[in-house]
Amino acid sequence: MEMLDSQHADELATLLALADKGSFAAAARAMERHPTVLSKRLQALERRLGVRLVERTTRQLHLTQEGQLLADKVRQATSLIRDAEKEAGQGASEVRGRLRLSMPATMGRRWISPMLAEFALAYPQVSLEVEYSERIVDVVGERFDAAIRIGNLPDSRLVASRLCDQRRILCAAESYLARCGSPQEPAELAHHNCLGYTGLLSFPEWTLVRQAGQASAEARQSVRVSGSMISNDNEALLHAALKGVGIVCGSDWHLMPFVATGELVRVLSQWTLGEGGGIYLVRPSGQYSTAAMAAFRQWVTVGFAAAPWQGSGAPPSPARPR
């Protein structure tokens, strides 16, 4: 893209000053430059364009037809630039504009979609473009304004705000436990029908962690599990668990609502799969954040603050199997 360099901008500013003030002396005072500087700038502009722009006399000057036309066009362009700067500046103080967001697919559909709908109603001047995907997007390279990330974040140049904690837990339906029994120790999982999530880095090994408590010390046990169903989709495994197929591992935000309704039961409730992690809002930079971004950050922070899946209610819009 061709850009206007500073020398050309100075030449055009000189032409506007001459048009407004009517003389080199008055224009020089307004621009705080010596009249000879303005004269040289005008000469350079006329040479570059190959046309005479100003008729000079001993007492005053007049713009030629070409000079007046150019001055009018430059004045219009200056006004457009001023309006564009004002509009951009308003984005820092007014909740308006566009936000391009990346959301994890399952978590996003279940928990964040209702938040986004409420945000859109509260801030109608903000346009949302939301991509749902389980892939880790390049927030900067793909020009996202923000993304929700789950787990443990690696060091990066992104600005991260921790929204809440998350844990991986084990659950099964009452029908499965009545048929096969409930494991009392992690090692017993080797003899159960464990629904395997292939997206787990340690698959097919589950490493269970028990945090230190009043009656127990911290412990860690690994067990290689197997079962009649594996999948790269947590929702498919959830459906199977609800039908009583086997024991499922998954994030508390994914499984706890069904525990609350009695459709699933915690298995080895003192243990979690791995160390857990968090749910984060990540952004390219905290500097010069727009009012729309600040409003969205506050909105999701409040939305996640109570970790809603820890309550007694069902998820706001679950895809319940039939």
Side-chain angles (χ1 to χ4, degrees):
M1 181 177 62
E2 185 178 356
M3 301 295 293
L4 184 68
D5 65 29
S6 59
Q7 179 180 340
H8 294 172
D10 289 342
E11 294 168 1
L12 294 173
T14 296
L15 178 65
L16 288 184
L18 292 173
D20 292 338
K21 301 301 181 181
S23 71
F24 279 97
R29 287 192 297 271
M31 298 186 71
E32 298 182 347
R33 293 290 186 273
H34 195 276
T36 58
V37 173
L38 270 59
S39 179
K40 290 179 179 179
R41 287 179 181 175
L42 179 64
Q43 292 172 14
L45 178 61
E46 290 178 328
R47 284 197 304 271
R48 182 161 60 86
L49 299 181
V51 64
R52 193 167 185 80
L53 301 173
V54 174
E55 294 290 352
R56 305 163 180 80
T57 66
T58 54
R59 293 187 177 182
Q60 59 183 356
L61 56 81
H62 299 279
L63 269 64
T64 65
Q65 182 177 354
E66 292 79 6
Q68 188 63 56
L69 180 62
L70 178 59
D72 291 342
K73 292 290 186 180
V74 171
R75 192 173 285 110
Q76 292 174 16
T78 302
S79 178
L80 287 174
I81 293 172
R82 190 180 300 114
D83 290 345
E85 290 179 341
K86 182 179 179 181
E87 183 177 350
Q90 286 174 341
S93 58
E94 298 179 9
V95 184
R96 55 192 294 274
R98 173 177 171 270
L99 290 176
R100 188 162 188 257
L101 308 171
S102 172
M103 300 294 160
T106 304
M107 148 73 75
R109 287 192 295 265
R110 180 159 296 182
W111 291 108
I112 306 175
S113 291
M115 295 185 201
L116 293 179
E118 293 167 357
F119 180 84
L121 289 173
Y123 298 102
Q125 294 189 73
V126 178
S127 175
L128 299 176
E129 179 184 341
V130 189
E131 178 179 305
Y132 291 88
S133 173
E134 297 298 357
R135 73 184 181 91
I136 304 298
V137 302
D138 179 353
V139 175
V140 176
E142 297 181 51
R143 298 181 180 274
F144 283 100
D145 296 297
I148 297 292
R149 295 273 173 84
I150 303 172
N152 293 306
L153 294 184
D155 292 336
S156 73
R157 294 174 298 166
L158 298 177
V159 177
S161 303
R162 192 181 183 105
L163 300 174
C164 66
D165 296 336
Q166 74 118 25
R167 302 169 299 156
R168 283 188 174 273
I169 60 176
L170 304 181
C171 293
E174 283 279 14
S175 59
Y176 173 83
L177 298 177
R179 188 173 72 249
C180 302
S182 181
Q184 300 303 305
E185 293 292 336
E188 297 177 26
L189 291 170
H191 308 295
H192 278 268
N193 193 34
C194 296
L195 308 176
Y197 175 54
T198 57
L200 194 66
L201 291 178
S202 63
F203 174 83
E205 186 175 274
W206 287 358
T207 299
L208 284 90
V209 176
R210 184 183 64 195
Q211 299 299 324
Q214 292 181 346
S216 62
E218 181 177 343
R220 178 186 295 265
Q221 294 186 35
S222 295
V223 56
R224 189 176 184 86
V225 299
S226 61
S228 61
M229 181 176 179
I230 64 173
S231 176
N232 67 342
D233 184 70
N234 277 315
E235 199 78 2
L237 299 177
L238 169 62
H239 286 206
L242 288 166
K243 291 294 186 180
V245 175
I247 298 174
V248 66
C249 74
S251 297
D252 49 2
W253 56 262
H254 196 209
L255 302 181
M256 280 302 293
F258 299 98
V259 173
T261 60
E263 295 168 88
L264 291 177
V265 177
R266 288 284 303 272
V267 173
L268 297 171
S269 59
Q270 300 303 312
W271 300 78
T272 61
L273 198 68
E275 302 289 351
I279 299 174
Y280 298 85
L281 175 71
V282 298
R283 296 166 287 131
S285 173
Q287 190 178 22
Y288 304 126
S289 179
T290 65
M293 186 69 253
F296 178 74
R297 184 174 68 252
Q298 181 180 13
W299 194 270
V300 295
T301 299
V302 171
F304 277 99
W309 49 87
Q310 299 287 12
S312 59
S317 55
R320 292 181 179 275
R322 297 184 180 276

